Amino acid sequence: MENITLGQISAAVLFLVALLGGLIALFKYLKNWLKDMLKEEFVEMRADINEIGVSNCKNFLVSCFAKIEKGDQLDETELERFYEEYDVYTNKYHKNSYIHSKYEKLMKEGKL
């Protein structure tokens, strides 16, 4: 069996440390590169999701308005959900449009 010297052991350890350091640096570089590359995609996706949320919120509020204008009453749970959605629409999405006008009209008429 061949004798292993202290120099050979330290060379092997040094090689492994350098290899590991290089792999870690490569991983960090690839991670940052991928994050930068996908950042724009995520911004666009977030905007699309936000638009879907606004649209769903408006659809719910408009259907409640139609129900109220037909003379139907919203039950307690529906009314609570209506106010939650209206709050999200006005505060989170910062929207002030025909939804706000219709809400104000129905409030003045005492239907809400």
Side-chain angles (χ1 to χ4, degrees):
M1 185 174 234
E2 188 178 320
N3 291 334
I4 299 175
T5 66
L6 191 56
Q8 291 172 326
I9 293 173
S10 47
V13 169
L14 187 60
F15 172 77
L16 290 175
V17 168
L19 180 65
L20 186 60
L23 290 174
I24 290 171
L26 180 63
F27 175 74
K28 286 181 180 180
Y29 172 78
L30 289 174
K31 180 181 167 188
N32 289 336
W33 174 77
L34 189 59
K35 188 182 349 177
D36 289 343
M37 190 175 80
L38 295 176
K39 185 182 274 185
E40 189 174 312
E41 288 293 322
F42 288 138
V43 168
E44 290 176 18
M45 190 184 319
R46 195 173 301 135
D48 290 343
I49 290 170
N50 189 47
E51 189 58 38
I52 290 169
V54 171
S55 196
N56 285 339
C57 193
K58 286 194 297 190
N59 288 340
F60 176 77
L61 293 171
V62 167
S63 68
C64 287
F65 290 149
K67 193 174 184 180
I68 292 167
E69 286 186 322
K70 283 194 307 185
D72 295 343
Q73 293 276 332
L74 298 179
D75 68 25
E76 184 180 324
T77 306
E78 287 175 315
L79 195 57
E80 188 174 323
R81 184 68 181 126
F82 170 82
Y83 286 123
E84 286 175 0
E85 283 295 309
Y86 184 75
D87 186 51
V88 167
Y89 183 76
T90 56
N91 295 320
K92 180 179 179 185
Y93 298 128
H94 306 289
K95 301 292 184 175
N96 186 3
S97 63
Y98 64 91
I99 300 286
H100 184 73
S101 301
K102 183 64 79 171
Y103 175 83
E104 292 295 322
K105 178 182 176 251
L106 292 174
M107 286 294 284
K108 286 178 185 173
E109 293 174 358
K111 294 181 178 180
L112 279 175

